[in-house]
Amino acid sequence: MVEPAVTDARRTIADFARERLAELAERGLLRRLEVSARGPAQEVVRGGRRLVSFSDNDYLGLSHDPRVKAAAACAMENFGAGAGSSRLITGHHPAIAALEEHLAAFKGHQAAVVFGSGYLANLGTIPVLCGPGDLLLVDRLAHACMYAGAQLSGARLLRFRHNDLDHLENLLERHRAKHDRAMILTDGVFSMDGDLAPLADLAALANRHDTWLHVDDAHGLGVLGGGRGTATELGVRLDFVMGTLSKALGSFGGYISGDRTLVDLLKSRARSLIYTTGLPPAAAAAADTALAILEAEPELCALPLARARHFCAALDLPAPQSAIVPILIGTPQAALTAQARLEEEGFLVVAIRPPTVPEGTARLRFSFCADHREADVARLALAVRRAGLA
Ligand SMILES: *Cc1c(COP(=O)(O)O)cnc(C)c1O
């Protein structure tokens, strides 16, 4: 038997991938995974070089805290590496249950539910609350997983200009009445810009228009409001809030806290909770211990913002609102060059390029952590100045 000839016209997966990669490379948008061995005190070894990272979200340095690591090790030793199944089958581990109670109490809500990641929390929650016939109003700079959840929901999606209350109100006036339920989606701290959403005004606007407010506070927890988050910082009480265990808590996972009815509904309906394996007990135990540290040490939570302030003052940049400080560069290529300049000085500040940020706004995104040394922050500011970046 003769094998049928493979025609040259057939475009294989490899062909397709090669073409796409070439196109991305030409635009400076190729992304690569760099092996990065993270040690304590924000040290990273990359390509054999030891760098101080200003790109991590481990704001309190808790991913390497001995108490947090011991809690994870103990949970792993006693209960195994993985959860074994979905949380709705046998994966609802005691460590997860304890963490949920702790989170709810900390947030001042009746209940909380933990997901496999912050991304999964938004992906699962938004479609439970809104669907076809409903309206979602999303800040243009909200995190990608808010958009992913919004698109998955099938609700009508309207973007409003970043933090622009007039634009949002205008959209509500024009479109709210045509839909059954409506919800505003915003980050508390915007992840690539470091500015805060005007939560008090957003909450008032939402109330006036019979609309819910969903806040993603991934970067607020542990940093703002004495560690309690953006809403506390701004003196706002939210009915519910989303957050992550993967940043200031130094572990992995995500959560929603709110009324028990909301949490019960999510447990019954959120597909990213139901159809995926529960997070490892060690991750929950680590986050639980990290949360206890965060609660007990508000002075630790004040350090990331203090470091960011120090950096901005040294460079005459506007005062930061969070631990995140962007320096806009422009083109992706220029941002990569800027990253390389700082690497020569021993600092890792990863260039952020489109589509993570809007076209023309490629940037260096600096994030400041409690365990950064003041001297390193000062040296970094000097290096930024010498490189002509600010
Ligand atoms: C990091 C981040 C997430 C995702 O959280 P993970 O736990 O890392 O999946 C969600 N929203 C915002 C604003 C983030 O910065």
Side-chain angles (χ1 to χ4, degrees):
M1 220 187 96
V2 182
E3 293 276 324
V6 176
T7 67
D8 287 338
R10 198 172 72 103
R11 190 185 188 208
T12 65
I13 294 280
D15 293 334
F16 166 72
R18 195 176 309 109
E19 288 159 23
R20 285 289 284 144
L21 286 169
E23 185 192 318
L24 290 169
E26 184 166 321
R27 293 161 59 204
L29 299 182
L30 207 56
R31 300 176 187 227
R32 276 203 191 86
L33 297 176
E34 300 286 350
V35 174
S36 310
R38 290 186 67 243
Q42 308 300 330
E43 264 195 15
V44 172
V45 177
R46 254 194 188 203
R49 295 196 57 196
R50 189 174 297 277
L51 303 167
V52 182
S53 166
F54 284 88
S55 282
D56 287 81
N57 304 309
D58 182 16
Y59 294 115
L60 305 176
L62 293 179
S63 73
H64 274 275
D65 186 280
R67 296 161 289 179
V68 173
K69 291 198 289 187
C74 180
M76 181 156 321
E77 190 55 40
N78 289 326
F79 305 111
S85 74
S86 164
R87 293 193 52 206
L88 280 95
I89 310 299
T90 63
H92 182 43
H93 196 275
I96 303 180
L99 171 62
E100 288 180 337
E101 278 196 22
H102 195 175
L103 277 169
F106 179 74
K107 282 283 164 193
H109 285 134
Q110 288 175 354
V113 54
V114 165
F115 290 75
S117 73
Y119 195 104
L120 288 172
N122 277 332
L123 204 65
T125 299
I126 296 165
V128 172
L129 302 179
C130 286
D134 300 329
L135 177 65
L136 290 169
L137 301 121
V138 192
D139 187 288
R140 262 199 44 176
L141 298 186
H143 193 265
C145 63
M146 296 282 256
Y147 278 98
Q151 275 158 356
L152 205 56
S153 75
R156 177 155 181 215
L157 191 167
L158 296 175
R159 291 161 201 254
F160 61 94
R161 287 192 288 272
H162 176 53
N163 277 351
D164 187 333
L165 292 159
D166 292 335
H167 187 211
L168 175 59
E169 178 146 42
N170 185 274
L171 291 175
L172 280 165
E173 279 164 1
R174 276 169 38 213
H175 300 288
R176 173 66 187 96
K178 292 178 278 183
H179 300 83
D180 181 5
R181 299 182 294 272
M183 186 158 72
I184 297 165
L185 306 183
T186 185
D187 293 6
V189 176
F190 287 87
S191 56
M192 297 299 139
D193 294 81
D195 57 339
L196 310 188
L199 291 185
D201 293 330
L202 285 171
L205 192 56
N207 276 339
R208 278 207 300 285
H209 290 269
D210 184 23
T211 293
W212 300 324
L213 176 61
H214 176 89
V215 177
D216 173 336
D217 206 27
H219 296 277
L221 181 77
V223 175
L224 299 178
R228 292 181 176 269
T230 310
T232 303
E233 175 83 23
L234 300 177
V236 181
R237 157 106 200 135
L238 297 174
D239 293 338
F240 69 107
V241 71
M242 171 271 168
T244 176
L245 313 177
S246 324
K247 289 170 180 161
L249 293 177
S251 181
F252 196 69
Y255 67 89
I256 298 276
S257 70
D259 284 351
R260 190 169 304 283
T261 50
L262 168 66
V263 166
D264 285 347
L265 179 64
L266 292 176
K267 287 176 186 166
S268 276
R269 301 295 296 166
R271 301 176 67 87
S272 65
L273 178 78
I274 299 169
Y275 298 106
T276 187
T277 301
L279 77 169
D288 200 13
T289 297
L291 187 60
I293 294 170
L294 191 156
E295 257 178 316
E297 301 180 21
E299 62 291 347
L300 179 71
C301 301
L303 290 177
L305 187 54
R307 306 262 187 272
R309 285 202 179 111
H310 172 189
F311 176 77
C312 290
L315 289 169
D316 298 314
L317 297 172
Q321 294 178 276
S322 71
I324 301 165
V325 177
I327 292 185
L328 265 58
I329 307 282
T331 68
Q333 290 84 354
L336 289 171
T337 305
Q339 174 183 338
R341 283 292 301 274
L342 295 184
E343 250 178 74
E344 285 162 21
E345 311 261 355
F347 299 111
L348 179 63
V349 187
V350 176
I352 308 288
R353 297 169 283 163
T356 306
V357 292
E359 215 49 63
T361 70
R363 67 195 65 186
L364 293 182
R365 171 191 180 275
F366 300 78
S367 54
F368 295 88
C369 302
D371 53 349
H372 278 132
R373 295 203 315 245
E374 277 291 339
D376 281 333
V377 174
R379 275 204 311 121
L380 174 68
L382 212 61
V384 167
R385 176 79 79 203
R386 268 205 302 271
L389 301 172

